[in-house]
Amino acid sequence: MYEPQTLQTIASHFVTAEHIDAVLPLGNGLINDTFKIMMKGEEQPRYVLQHINDKVFTDVEMLQRNIETVTDHIRRKYEAAGMTDINRRVLHFLKADTGKTYVKVGEEYWRVMDFIADSVTQEAVTPQSAYDAGRNFGDFEALLADLKEPIGEIIPNFHNIEFRLKQLEEAIAANPVGRMKDAEVQDYVKKIQEHASAMCLGERLYREGKLPKRICHCDTKVNNMLFDKEGNVLCIIDLDTIMPSFVFSDFGDFLRSAANTGAEDDPDLGNIHFNRAIYDAFLEGYLEGTKSFLTPVERENLPYAACLFPYMQAVRFFADYINGDTYYKIRYPEHNLVRTRAQWKLFEEAQKALK
Ligand code: GN1
Ligand code: MG
């Protein structure tokens, strides 16, 4: 954990030190650590300070370049469209005293962005806000469809299920902390294998030249959107994983959190069902937002995408469990196994609901 004074010193690379009142924890991401910067005499935070996890995002220069390219592009389009509240609609990163949008302090990387006032994150959506979210993520992809500058693949093979299954196989073979002896663990290995071929459909279509990659967000969880006090979508956040991917990423990963009636790590599997009304509403909004570019192959396979993402997340949590919890932050020793069970249940429920 970080000392308040350390955080203030880091923040002062971006904002005048004397004006900072406090730097306090914010949010619940599984990868980066996030804080809010409070300025003297102000009630609401003014900025967000974030520690970049450079074990996950090893090329910080590329990471920030991707984000700047995308946010500049969207900003220019919003300006051309005469939008007035642009700073509430797209993230803005501050330049540090180094001239870059990040600093390296010791061995750690940090960045600062504007805090969007009067905004909230939510863990759940209604059909109305799911429609809105579909529109917004669809629009987001549409806005980036004509991007000329290259966007780097910041985490290679991030949503490549064949690659994730291979990582799982490697974890199983290495069995570094002896978790393979458990009967339940063995059982998940079998169940995952049974569905592997069907779940690799996207990669096959890609190899056959039938499925394009587009610039996607790749972490479209509900809590990666800011809403205003009335529940309208304001802005898409957490732009780290923007990279070329199948549209399945954004469609499937949103529903993985939004259509789940339980929590991502719900220990009570009875809470977990797939909410078809949320799926239908999100689909409608997404089709509206993407109608300028979505191909029939992409459209026809959206139900597959909604099953693929709980499956892929189960595979990723499970591999991390077998590896001894080296990737995701955990709150207790069995956390990644509990997450695996919950995502597997959601996978089964999604298949039933979308048959
Ligand atoms: C991670 O850090 P967070 O919570 O935004 C992960 C996503 C997973 C998600 C599971 C870079 O996102 O891919 O879906 O946890 N991000 C990375 O909650 O691995
Ligand atoms: Mg996040």
Side-chain angles (χ1 to χ4, degrees):
M1 277 301 97
Y2 303 98
E3 295 296 324
Q5 195 46 52
T6 312
L7 293 172
Q8 292 219 14
T9 308
I10 293 161
S12 69
H13 285 281
F14 298 85
V15 288
T16 316
E18 301 85 78
H19 298 166
I20 301 172
D21 186 24
V23 183
L24 305 167
L26 175 74
N28 56 359
L30 301 190
I31 304 292
N32 296 319
D33 294 308
T34 309
F35 306 86
K36 50 189 175 183
I37 303 178
M38 310 297 298
M39 305 298 273
K40 286 184 180 144
E42 294 181 14
E43 299 260 302
Q44 291 211 41
R46 180 98 70 87
Y47 304 106
V48 173
L49 171 69
Q50 203 164 43
H51 172 242
I52 301 171
N53 182 334
D54 69 321
K55 306 245 165 9
V56 172
F57 301 104
T58 50
D59 188 343
V60 176
E61 184 69 31
M62 180 203 276
L63 175 73
Q64 290 304 105
R65 194 174 346 104
N66 277 354
I67 293 177
E68 284 172 49
T69 302
V70 164
T71 52
D72 287 351
H73 186 78
I74 292 179
R75 186 171 294 272
R76 275 197 300 276
K77 287 208 168 167
Y78 283 171
E79 278 164 7
M83 193 185 270
T84 51
D85 56 349
I86 296 175
N87 284 332
R88 299 173 61 68
R89 298 288 176 166
V90 57
L91 290 182
H92 172 251
F93 288 81
L94 273 64
K95 286 223 157 71
D97 45 15
T98 56
K100 299 199 177 255
T101 58
Y102 66 89
V103 286
K104 188 173 184 191
V105 183
E107 287 307 304
E108 325 245 339
Y109 291 90
W110 298 82
R111 65 184 168 203
V112 169
M113 64 201 106
D114 286 336
F115 180 86
I116 298 182
D118 298 313
S119 68
V120 288
T121 52
Q122 299 181 358
E123 294 296 331
V125 289
T126 61
Q128 181 52 48
S129 59
Y131 172 85
D132 210 16
R135 226 6 253 269
N136 270 272
F137 279 121
D139 287 346
F140 184 85
E141 289 172 355
L143 282 167
L144 298 177
D146 65 342
L147 191 63
K148 295 280 179 298
E149 295 96 326
I151 295 294
E153 193 177 354
I154 189 69
I155 303 179
N157 295 311
F158 187 51
H159 281 168
N160 178 340
I161 185 60
E162 289 176 350
F163 174 76
R164 295 300 183 185
L165 287 163
K166 203 166 115 257
Q167 283 187 318
L168 174 59
E169 262 173 48
E170 285 163 8
I172 293 170
N175 187 20
V177 289
R179 285 178 165 168
M180 286 308 300
K181 55 180 177 290
D182 188 68
E184 184 190 9
V185 167
Q186 295 286 348
D187 195 40
Y188 276 117
V189 173
K190 237 176 72 215
K191 289 196 282 200
I192 287 169
Q193 278 164 355
E194 276 163 22
H195 292 270
S197 167
M199 287 298 118
C200 292
L201 172 69
E203 298 299 331
R204 285 197 295 277
L205 290 171
Y206 178 66
R207 274 196 294 275
E208 289 162 12
K210 295 178 183 153
L211 182 67
K213 287 198 181 175
R214 306 183 184 279
I215 305 304
C216 295
H217 181 279
C218 295
D219 191 13
T220 53
K221 288 195 288 196
V222 176
N223 63 16
N224 281 335
M225 299 189 116
L226 296 180
F227 295 82
D228 67 16
K229 296 267 159 71
E230 283 73 51
N232 304 308
V233 175
L234 268 179
C235 180
I236 292 172
I237 61 170
D238 203 348
L239 308 178
D240 294 329
T241 52
I242 291 176
M243 67 184 110
S245 193
F246 309 137
V247 293
F248 302 159
S249 290
D250 290 353
F251 187 83
D253 213 21
F254 180 82
L255 290 162
R256 189 179 67 78
S257 58
N260 185 356
T261 55
E264 179 180 77
D265 58 352
D266 215 313
D268 182 353
L269 299 183
N271 289 337
I272 298 175
H273 300 287
F274 189 85
N275 185 333
R276 182 65 204 242
I278 297 289
Y279 174 90
D280 291 335
F282 182 71
L283 175 65
E284 199 186 331
Y286 185 76
L287 290 178
E288 190 60 37
T290 57
K291 64 177 177 222
S292 59
F293 66 84
L294 208 68
T295 66
V297 171
E298 289 174 309
R299 196 166 45 244
E300 283 153 21
N301 285 298
L302 293 177
Y304 152 73
C307 296
L308 172 63
F309 275 79
Y311 177 83
M312 186 166 351
Q313 196 63 58
V315 170
R316 292 176 64 195
F317 283 148
F318 189 49
D320 199 33
Y321 179 70
I322 293 171
N323 278 330
D325 313 308
T326 59
Y327 188 84
Y328 293 106
K329 292 186 213 161
I330 53 164
R331 288 198 311 277
Y332 52 91
E334 303 275 284
H335 203 166
N336 274 318
L337 183 60
V338 170
R339 287 168 170 155
T340 304
R341 291 182 192 129
Q343 292 299 302
W344 191 263
K345 174 78 192 297
L346 182 65
F347 168 59
E348 291 177 336
E349 291 288 301
Q351 286 179 302
K352 263 195 269 165
L354 298 170
K355 254 217 290 270

